[in-house]
Amino acid sequence: MPHGAKLVIIDLCYAPLIAWGPLLAAVTVAYAVRRRRHG
């Protein structure tokens, strides 16, 4: 198991993968709202 600086590096590299789904959903909803509002 990594620890110390290696663990921090792994966490920083893995964090965007965790955030990808919620961020993609938020962008998709914002796009749909914008398209519906402006035709």
Side-chain angles (χ1 to χ4, degrees):
M1 292 294 295
H3 59 281
K6 291 180 183 179
L7 180 61
V8 171
I9 292 170
I10 290 173
D11 287 345
L12 288 175
C13 292
Y14 192 69
L17 296 176
I18 295 171
W20 178 255
L23 289 175
L24 183 61
V27 169
T28 302
V29 169
Y31 176 77
V33 169
R34 185 179 52 165
R35 292 285 294 171
R36 189 172 297 192
R37 195 177 299 165
H38 296 292

